[in-house]
Amino acid sequence: MNKEQIIAQDEQHYVPVFARYPIVLSHGEGPYVYDTEGKKYLDFLAGIAVNVLGHAHPKLVAAIAEQAGKIIHCSNLYYTEQQASLAAALTKLAGMDKVFFANSGAEANEGAIKLARKYGKTLSEDRVEIITAENSFHGRTYATLTATAQPKYQKGYEPLPGGFRYVPFNDLEALKNIVSEKTCAVMLEPIQGEGGINIPDAGYLQAVRQLCDDNGALLIFDEIQTGMGRTGNLFAYQTFDVKPDIVTVAKGLGGGVPIGAFLAAGKVADVFHAGDHGSTFGGNPLACAAANSVLAVIAEENLGANAAVMGEYMMAELRKLQSKYSQLILDVRGKGLMIGVQISRPGREIVNRCLEEGYIINCTAGEVLRFVPPLNINKNHIDELIVNLDKVFAEFC
C-alpha cells in the first residue's frame, strides 16, 4: 500500500483519538527514521521519550530476536530468568527493595496508587487521599486520569474516583495547607512533562520529602518520562538527590518494547501479598529481555552522562536562538535531554514546518516545544536540528 492507502485504511478502522501527522513511518536507524516514501527525519521526539537507544540499536535488536526464539510469554504463575534478572538489576540501580512489572506507565502508576492506598489503610481507614500537582500527567486509566490534575483530560468521564486532591506544582505552602491525617501519599513528576517541561524550584522536592516524613505520608515519584537516564542519572530523583518511597517507570525502560514498573522501598515494599495485584503480560520474558538490554547499553555507553552533557550543549544553543528571536522564544528550560522551549504562539504550526523540513519535534501544553531525543545523540545531531530551527523560527518572526 502507498501512503494515502495506509492513511485511508487507518482512518476508516481506527478509533480517532490521535491527532496524527500525515506521514507513514517505516523504519529507523540511530536517531533517524524514514517514511514509506523514503524521506529521512531526525527524530528529536523518540516516541515521546521512549526510544532512549534510538532506532534499531543492534544490541537491543539482538536481545529481542534471541528471546523471541526461546519464549515470548508465559504466565506470572511461573518464574523466568529474564524477569528475575531485571528485578534484581532495577531495584539495585534504583536503590529500592521490590519491583512489579506492568505494560505501560499508566499501569505502573495505577499499581503505585493501589499500593499507597493499601499502605495508608494499614495506618488508618481514613488515610486514603493522594495529593497530585496541577498540570501533571499520570495516565489515562480512571485512577490515573483522576490523578492527572488537568480538567481537559477529565472532561466527559465524570464521575471520577474520589480520594484525590490537587495543588499547584512548586507551591510548598499550598501543599502544607492540605496535607492531613487523611493523606496517604503525595504523587509528583520530578519534572512535569506533558504539563510543559516544568522544573522544580531549588529545594522544593527536598521540602516535599520532609513534609511527607513529618506527616506519615508516602512520596511517589512518577518517572515515566524523566527516568532511564534522561536527566543525567537513571532516575531524576537521583539527579535531585531526593529518594521517594515509590517510583514508577516505563517509556524508555524497554527501548520501544512496552513495559512499565513500580518500585518500592522500606515498609511499603512489603504491603502487597499474593492476589493483591497482578498482570497477564506484565514482566513477560520478551519485555524483560529488552529492558535488560536497555539497562546494559545505558551503562556500557554511559548514556546518562551523555544526556547531561548534550542537554547542556543543546540548551546553550537554544538560548542563542532565544536571543535572536526574543519575541517568539520566551524561555528555554530543562534537565539533561528533557528540554522545553516556551514560545509566544501555539506550537503546532512550528512542529508541522519542522516535519516538512525533516525534523521530528513535539508541542505540549499548547505553546511549549518539547525535545526528548534518544540519549545517544551527539553534537552533530544537535547542530543539524539547530540550523533547521533557526530557519523555521525566522519564518514566524
Side-chain angles (χ1 to χ4, degrees):
M1 289 189 293
N2 61 30
K3 181 181 82 170
E4 288 74 21
Q5 290 171 324
I6 293 169
I7 291 174
Q9 186 179 67
D10 186 277
E11 290 182 347
Q12 181 181 355
H13 298 289
Y14 196 87
V15 177
V17 294
F18 299 111
R20 299 190 196 269
Y21 294 93
I23 63 173
V24 179
L25 297 179
S26 63
H27 64 285
E29 183 177 2
Y32 296 96
V33 291
Y34 300 80
D35 67 19
T36 51
E37 299 181 323
K39 184 173 180 179
K40 180 180 180 181
Y41 302 83
L42 180 60
D43 184 5
F44 262 64
L45 182 59
I48 314 181
V50 169
N51 303 108
V52 292
L53 307 185
H55 301 276
H57 191 287
K59 291 187 177 179
L60 178 57
V61 170
I64 294 169
E66 180 182 358
Q67 188 59 47
K70 294 178 179 178
I71 184 170
I72 293 175
H73 174 76
C74 68
S75 169
N76 274 311
L77 296 174
Y78 312 101
Y79 298 98
T80 65
E81 181 180 357
Q82 295 76 21
Q83 188 182 100
S85 296
L86 181 59
L90 198 56
T91 52
K92 181 179 180 181
L93 290 166
M96 308 296 272
D97 295 315
K98 296 285 178 65
V99 63
F100 179 88
F101 296 116
N103 305 289
S104 66
E107 286 185 31
N109 282 337
E110 187 89 14
I113 289 167
K114 287 176 65 177
L115 183 62
R117 283 265 173 88
K118 185 155 193 192
Y119 174 80
K121 283 184 173 290
T122 67
L123 305 178
S124 165
E125 276 297 312
D126 296 327
R127 193 177 277 268
V128 297
E129 288 185 348
I130 295 175
I131 301 170
T132 66
E134 295 172 4
N135 294 316
S136 61
F137 187 87
H138 298 293
R140 295 181 185 272
T141 64
Y142 251 104
T144 59
L145 182 74
T146 309
T148 295
Q150 295 196 58
K152 67 179 180 180
Y153 293 113
Q154 300 172 343
K155 186 177 180 180
Y157 299 109
E158 303 87 354
L160 300 173
F164 291 89
R165 303 189 69 184
Y166 311 128
V167 294
F169 187 64
N170 260 335
D171 190 334
L172 186 63
E173 289 305 311
L175 183 58
K176 287 180 178 179
N177 288 337
I178 69 168
V179 168
S180 71
E181 68 279 356
K182 294 183 179 181
T183 305
C184 70
V186 175
M187 185 176 188
L188 299 173
E189 299 159 271
I191 297 172
Q192 289 188 326
E194 298 298 320
I197 315 297
N198 300 317
I199 312 296
D201 293 338
Y204 171 71
L205 295 178
Q206 287 85 351
V208 174
R209 170 75 276 179
Q210 187 61 55
L211 183 64
C212 288
D213 290 343
D214 292 344
N215 288 273
L218 301 174
L219 176 60
I220 305 171
F221 279 159
D222 174 345
E223 295 238 23
I224 307 304
Q225 196 163 145
T226 57
M228 294 298 103
R230 185 149 298 278
T231 65
N233 291 289
L234 195 66
F235 293 95
Y237 68 79
Q238 295 164 332
T239 301
F240 291 109
D241 195 26
V242 182
K243 186 177 177 180
D245 301 290
I246 304 172
V247 61
T248 60
V249 63
K251 287 191 178 287
L253 179 58
V257 175
I259 185 171
F262 65 82
L263 298 101
K267 292 182 292 185
V268 70
D270 297 319
V271 168
F272 274 172
H273 301 289
D276 285 342
H277 196 53
S279 172
T280 295
F281 294 107
N284 72 66
L286 184 69
C288 288
N292 278 319
S293 178
V294 168
L295 290 178
V297 173
I298 287 175
E300 291 165 6
E301 299 185 8
N302 207 12
L303 295 187
N306 188 67
V309 173
M310 290 300 102
E312 286 296 321
Y313 177 73
M314 184 170 171
M315 283 191 283
E317 293 301 301
L318 287 168
R319 288 186 177 113
K320 292 177 184 177
L321 294 182
Q322 182 182 8
S323 297
K324 188 174 182 179
Y325 303 109
S326 58
Q327 289 185 325
L328 176 65
I329 303 175
L330 305 179
D331 189 28
V332 175
R333 55 184 180 262
K335 182 74 69 172
L337 287 173
M338 186 175 181
I339 298 170
V341 174
Q342 182 82 49
I343 56 177
S344 58
R345 57 178 298 143
R348 191 171 177 89
E349 287 183 282
I350 292 177
V351 172
N352 286 334
R353 280 293 296 120
C354 285
L355 192 65
E356 291 170 3
E357 294 294 325
Y359 300 88
I360 295 177
I361 65 171
N362 173 243
C363 178
T364 190
E367 299 176 346
V368 179
L369 302 178
R370 174 171 51 176
F371 304 88
V372 283
L375 303 186
N376 49 9
I377 61 165
N378 58 42
K379 286 186 177 182
N380 291 334
H381 301 130
I382 294 171
D383 291 342
E384 182 182 346
L385 177 73
I386 293 295
V387 168
N388 175 75
L389 288 175
D390 193 352
K391 174 184 175 181
V392 171
F393 287 158
E395 298 177 10
F396 290 87
C397 289

